[in-house]
Amino acid sequence: MTVTSLSPSNSSAAPPAVHKRTDWLPVIMTAPATLALIGILYPFAIAVYYSFTNYRIVSKTYKVVGFQNYVRMFSNADFWEAMGNTLMFAAAALLFELALGFLIALLLNRSVPGVGLMRALLLLPLMVPPVISGMMWKTMLASSSGPVNYIFGLGNYAWFANPWSARFVVIFIEVWSSTPFVALVLLSGLQSLPKAPFEAAQVDGANAWFILNRLMLPMLKPFILIVLLFRVVDVIKLFDIVFATTSGGPMFTTTTIPILVYKEVFKSYTLGSATAKVLMLWVINYVISFWLASRWRKTAASIR
Amino acid sequence: MNKRSFQFLLALMVMASMLLAACAPAATPAPVKTEAPVVTEAPAKTEAPVVTEAPVVTEAPAAPEVTEAPVAPEEPAAPEFNWRQFEGQKITVFLSETPMAVAIRSNLQDFIDKTGIDVEYLVVAENEYWNKLTIDLSSGAGQFNVFMSGPTLNWGYAAADQIQPLDPYMADPTITPADWDESDFYPWALDSNRWDMTPGPVGLGKGSLWAMPVNAVNNLVTYRKDVFEQLGLTVPDTWDEWAETARAIKEKTGGEFEGKPFYSVAQRGALDTTTLSGPFYSGLFSYGGRDFHDDLSPAINDPQSVAFQTLYMDTIKETGSPEWPNMMWFDVQQGFTSGQFAMVFDVGDFVPTFEGEGSAVAGKLGYARPPAGPDGKRYSSAWTWGFSMNSKTTGDQAKASWLFIAWASSADSMVSFAKTGSWPTRVSVWNSPEVTEFANQFGNGEFRAVFDKVLAEDVAWLVAPMTEASAVEQPWVKALQDYFYGKGSMQQLMDQVAEEMTQILKDSGTLQ
């Protein structure tokens, strides 16, 4: 940026001194953000490039193969099965997490004895890393030695051997470990709502359904959207729990896109085709997140 | 001096110092350069016969002096080995959580005391181990100088120049102790870690040594003697008998023993390459099947391969645990130890756990050689855990790393390691009084007698070496699970997998 004298020109007077100097302050102030942006964009650009190559991490050479990885991906049954599992797990987990999280938030929003302890206990699953949750539940659900089968008298039931019960268990563990987060966000939302409209509705004799449907949910919508945004981004990348419990089996019934990508990279070493799948997942994640974020902005603006 | 002038002067001084530093003579890199030949030459030697590699390396340490000093040709001084020649060096060792890793950790101080080399080590679970290692090697980060490895994985790393051949170090008397005897190793242990980069069965046992074998992992049948006696059964000697015996156990016990669920056979089955490890390959090859033909066409859909896989899978389906599709090797080990199974065909490394404290089956076990196929062939598909060296490790650090490998693969170390169930790759160690006494305690000497026969007559490396080894196993494991769930006949499923395997080999350029 240059700074020049702003005084009007005067032909009779000596020309004013012009000081040129660079103002580095804006550059310095934006440098961290610029570096962070480069740090994000560079690997992303590299990933896009690799998705058009036949790059194998145990090979010294590779070449650009155009859209071959994408064409094969779309014609590969394993990819579609993994994509179906990914979206099904995401939808089911979000549905249960939101419903249960809301119920728990409603319960914890009351002033009853012991509610503080319950809020603290609610945090416990959040503190357990997902992979540990997976291993813990795998042990609990073991067919012969697991306490769940023993307590519920289920005999020798092999939870992870039946495709549908394996899917159910994966969703269950995901819900178990993430519902507290949803509940906490919605609880903070409930506590921030103004009391006056609720009191007025009660004075006017409004029933619980009316209060829930016409007051609470619309006012809580920004919180619901923001928690959905966080959870969608996370649950579409579901990996740890599946890896720790089923490794994607039996057959391919619990294989998600991240599991498929993991196996391609670390077992088959085909980084090129794996990045094509990662980018596909990124597109889906981006579209859903963008839509949720724009809805959140509109909702937040309308409430203000 | 005003503030602006001071800032200008300061900036000038910083720039000048940086410039000076950049232009300074390369005093520190020089020693590294003198040592560089050892490493820079190593990858180039990958295709050369082993014998031609040795002289190059023996010359390397002397190189810097020779170029400077006048020629002194007379009698070269006899090379002297000294354990403390790299005192003060620091190396990083990466371990996978196995009996061998336990042994290394508990004996590591011996190496540090002996050499003065500082060793940093990292131990992680097996699945995480391979991921972390692959990332380190493929990114060229070079975080780990020495790491545990085995034949299948080495092939990929070797082809990408990510590990270096060990023959040059082994042949250098200045860095290998005189009593470190190469001829003491079981030939199959060294051969299974040699590969000349030719894909397929023909290249195995030739070319460079990519890992130094320390722990021999071989297969045998372990069975519940008490159950067999109670049910009036004899130990299976062939794969057909193995299947019949499993069915007889199921019939006679009704799937319950001592009031608990009880299954005939414990085998690996998870959607992971662990399912296709030693026990599976031993059966496949014994039965006359194989993975690939010499021309790299898949053999998994050949009649004998299909026959074995049908027998194996039908037996598991009918008499094994319903959890089979989720069983990793540690589930097999744990399940058998807790008394849920009548017999297991898996690795001998499990035996100390089976017979150990807290095991429900300790003292109740019998042992038998791998079942034979219809033609009487009987194999134990060998796997060895050993140590490889990162190709990014150079100079004195590489030699210090080799000292670690030489120590870990020495007879003395292996004797100590064997007591954790890390069975040795050296003949003298297996026959040593300490290891004999330790192994004899299992099954009143029966384990040792059987394993003696396995080591002498049955062990062979069977899997076709290629960089795509684990890639081609992915659809294969899935097809076995598909069969378990009745998704098709074995022939149909294996025909499909054979096509996928061929495509994988074509994509990687191995097949034209």
Side-chain angles (χ1 to χ4, degrees):
Chain A
M1 183 187 284
T2 56
V3 178
T4 54
S5 169
L6 296 175
S7 60
S9 64
N10 186 342
S11 54
S12 59
V18 177
H19 296 289
K20 281 192 178 177
R21 69 177 176 89
T22 306
D23 189 351
W24 286 101
L25 190 64
V27 178
I28 292 167
M29 296 296 280
T30 55
T34 311
L35 283 175
L37 196 65
I38 292 169
I40 293 166
L41 287 182
Y42 177 72
F44 185 79
I46 289 285
V48 173
Y49 170 68
Y50 279 153
S51 76
F52 292 103
T53 69
N54 66 348
Y55 184 49
R56 295 176 74 231
I57 54 179
V58 292
S59 178
K60 283 179 270 189
T61 57
Y62 65 90
K63 62 180 182 186
V64 174
V65 293
F67 284 91
Q68 183 184 292
N69 290 331
Y70 289 93
V71 171
R72 285 202 183 161
M73 178 177 78
F74 289 124
S75 58
N76 183 337
D78 289 348
F79 168 76
W80 288 114
E81 190 171 353
M83 182 60 84
N85 290 337
T86 306
L87 297 177
M88 181 182 69
F89 290 162
L94 287 173
L95 186 73
F96 285 111
E97 283 169 20
L98 211 58
L100 284 172
F102 182 64
L103 279 175
I104 294 169
L106 279 178
L107 289 172
L108 294 180
N109 196 32
R110 292 158 180 263
S111 301
V112 288
V115 76
L117 178 71
M118 284 181 69
R119 280 178 198 163
L121 287 176
L122 187 68
L123 289 172
L124 284 180
L126 271 182
M127 293 173 188
V128 183
V131 69
I132 304 293
S133 304
M135 290 166 79
M136 191 179 80
W137 280 104
K138 189 180 177 185
T139 309
M140 303 253 287
L141 294 166
S143 66
S144 307
S145 54
V148 171
N149 279 2
Y150 178 75
I151 292 166
F152 293 100
L154 295 172
N156 219 9
Y157 187 72
W159 289 88
F160 299 103
N162 180 304
W164 282 106
S165 64
R167 286 182 180 125
F168 167 79
V169 169
V170 167
I171 294 166
F172 169 79
I173 302 171
E174 167 59 27
V175 170
W176 178 84
S177 74
S178 298
T179 300
F181 170 75
V182 177
L184 284 178
V185 174
L186 295 184
L187 179 63
S188 65
L190 283 173
Q191 291 178 339
S192 70
L193 297 183
K195 291 201 170 40
F198 293 92
E199 286 165 359
Q202 274 174 341
V203 169
D204 290 344
N207 61 21
W209 172 245
F210 179 88
I211 292 173
L212 176 77
N213 193 33
R214 304 297 292 270
L215 280 178
M216 193 179 283
L217 286 178
M219 290 167 83
L220 209 55
K221 203 172 171 185
F223 293 91
I224 294 171
L225 287 170
I226 204 76
V227 84
L228 264 179
L229 181 63
F230 279 118
R231 293 303 312 134
V232 162
V233 170
D234 198 41
V235 81
I236 278 188
K237 297 183 297 187
L238 186 65
F239 175 83
D240 325 45
I241 291 169
V242 179
F243 188 69
T245 52
T246 65
S247 295
M251 295 175 286
F252 245 50
T253 51
T254 60
T255 296
T256 58
I257 293 288
I259 291 281
L260 190 66
V261 167
Y262 163 82
K263 287 189 174 174
E264 282 205 20
V265 175
F266 290 109
K267 302 286 183 186
S268 305
Y269 305 135
T270 49
L271 194 72
S273 65
T275 44
K277 293 177 181 73
V278 170
L279 289 170
M280 193 63 219
L281 195 65
W282 173 81
V283 168
I284 292 171
N285 215 336
Y286 185 82
V287 168
I288 297 174
S289 309
F290 187 81
W291 179 78
L292 281 170
S294 64
R295 294 274 301 165
W296 174 76
R297 274 194 297 272
K298 278 181 198 160
T299 312
S302 68
I303 285 178
R304 268 185 238 124
Chain B
M1 188 185 286
N2 65 21
K3 194 177 172 186
R4 188 171 295 170
S5 307
F6 175 74
Q7 282 174 341
F8 177 74
L9 195 66
L10 195 69
L12 203 67
M13 284 165 66
V14 170
M15 283 166 64
S17 62
M18 286 167 69
L19 200 67
L20 281 170
C23 297
T28 42
V32 180
K33 265 192 174 175
T34 59
E35 290 151 0
V38 180
V39 176
T40 48
E41 283 173 24
K45 283 176 223 140
T46 51
E47 278 134 15
V50 180
V51 187
T52 59
E53 289 166 16
V56 183
V57 174
T58 50
E59 284 165 22
E65 275 76 34
V66 173
T67 51
E68 297 291 328
V71 184
E74 280 113 344
E75 284 186 21
E80 272 189 29
F81 173 79
N82 173 10
W83 277 109
R84 298 196 78 84
Q85 58 186 308
F86 299 110
E87 190 170 357
Q89 280 286 332
K90 186 178 176 182
I91 61 168
T92 306
V93 178
F94 192 29
L95 305 167
S96 168
E97 190 64 76
T98 56
M100 181 173 135
V102 175
I104 294 284
R105 278 151 66 194
S106 53
N107 289 278
L108 194 58
Q109 197 56 44
D110 293 348
F111 173 75
I112 296 169
D113 294 342
K114 194 173 193 171
T115 61
I117 294 169
D118 186 12
V119 183
E120 210 169 70
Y121 71 88
L122 179 67
V123 194
V124 296
E126 192 172 339
N127 259 329
E128 195 191 336
Y129 178 80
W130 296 116
N131 306 345
K132 214 170 167 59
L133 184 62
T134 305
I135 290 170
D136 183 64
L137 293 177
S138 59
S139 67
Q143 185 190 350
F144 308 115
N145 305 113
V146 179
F147 50 86
M148 282 171 65
S149 191
T152 324
L153 283 306
N154 279 344
W155 301 329
Y157 304 147
D161 282 347
Q162 291 165 353
I163 53 176
Q164 47 184 312
L166 299 177
D167 310 84
Y169 299 97
M170 198 161 61
D172 186 344
T174 62
I175 51 174
T176 305
D179 61 351
W180 189 94
D181 181 10
E182 185 188 340
S183 65
D184 187 24
F185 284 88
Y186 287 103
W188 50 262
L190 287 176
D191 286 351
S192 60
N193 285 286
R194 287 193 184 281
W195 187 38
D196 67 357
M197 304 281 181
T198 311
V202 291
L204 189 72
K206 300 171 192 162
S208 300
L209 185 73
W210 298 105
M212 181 56 69
V214 175
N215 173 204
V217 183
N218 285 306
N219 309 284
L220 80 168
V221 175
T222 306
Y223 65 96
R224 289 281 298 276
K225 228 172 191 170
D226 57 334
V227 176
F228 273 59
E229 278 168 11
Q230 201 172 318
L231 302 179
L233 296 169
T234 52
V235 189
D237 187 52
T238 66
W239 279 102
D240 290 322
E241 286 174 19
W242 173 80
E244 284 162 22
T245 309
R247 286 195 184 94
I249 294 167
K250 177 79 189 273
E251 269 173 36
K252 292 186 178 193
T253 61
E256 223 178 79
F257 187 72
E258 292 173 347
K260 288 181 185 165
F262 194 68
Y263 308 107
S264 305
V265 292
Q267 300 300 142
R268 310 176 190 197
L271 197 63
D272 187 279
T273 47
T274 187
T275 297
L276 297 180
S277 51
F280 178 83
Y281 280 116
S282 303
L284 181 73
F285 280 77
S286 298
Y287 216 81
R290 60 194 301 191
D291 52 353
F292 283 93
H293 296 288
D294 289 356
D295 64 358
L296 291 182
S297 58
I300 59 162
N301 53 345
D302 286 359
Q304 279 312 103
S305 299
V306 170
F308 170 72
Q309 294 180 92
T310 308
L311 175 95
Y312 184 75
M313 289 306 305
D314 283 348
T315 308
I316 288 170
K317 242 168 111 167
E318 290 167 32
T319 73
S321 162
E323 295 239 45
W324 176 82
N326 206 33
M327 283 174 78
M328 297 288 284
W329 65 263
F330 43 81
D331 296 310
V332 170
Q333 186 190 35
Q334 227 170 27
F336 192 79
T337 307
S338 64
Q340 295 171 40
F341 296 92
M343 56 178 171
V344 55
F345 177 58
D346 214 299
V347 298
D349 291 40
F350 290 172
V351 171
T353 307
F354 292 159
E355 299 272 19
E357 218 174 288
S359 165
V361 297
K364 301 175 182 171
L365 301 178
Y367 301 92
R369 287 168 70 191
D375 298 339
K377 281 190 286 185
R378 190 191 304 271
Y379 290 119
S380 163
S381 177
W383 161 262
T384 62
W385 271 115
F387 281 108
S388 294
M389 200 193 301
N390 197 321
S391 59
K392 298 280 174 195
T393 301
T394 61
D396 279 353
Q397 199 182 32
K399 291 175 189 170
S401 300
W402 165 252
L403 279 192
F404 175 83
I405 296 175
W407 166 80
S409 55
S410 68
D412 286 348
S413 298
M414 278 194 211
V415 169
S416 312
F417 299 171
K419 288 170 189 169
T420 63
S422 168
W423 300 118
T425 49
R426 283 178 178 273
V427 182
S428 70
V429 177
W430 176 249
N431 292 322
S432 68
E434 296 97 323
V435 177
T436 302
E437 190 190 338
F438 178 70
N440 267 340
Q441 65 182 307
F442 307 132
N444 292 322
E446 191 181 335
F447 165 72
R448 186 175 165 89
V450 167
F451 221 48
D452 252 342
K453 284 231 167 202
V454 172
L455 292 169
E457 296 176 34
D458 306 334
V459 179
W461 179 263
L462 305 168
V463 186
M466 55 178 71
T467 61
E468 304 84 355
S470 58
V472 295
E473 285 180 346
Q474 300 295 314
W476 193 356
V477 178
K478 183 173 176 274
L480 291 180
Q481 289 212 343
D482 283 342
Y483 184 81
F484 185 86
Y485 287 99
K487 299 282 178 186
S489 73
M490 190 59 84
Q491 187 68 55
Q492 274 174 338
L493 292 164
M494 288 304 137
D495 285 344
Q496 281 168 20
V497 177
E499 278 176 31
E500 284 184 60
M501 284 176 160
T502 305
Q503 189 59 52
I504 289 168
L505 295 184
K506 280 184 178 169
D507 286 347
S508 63
T510 298
L511 265 186
Q512 299 306 317

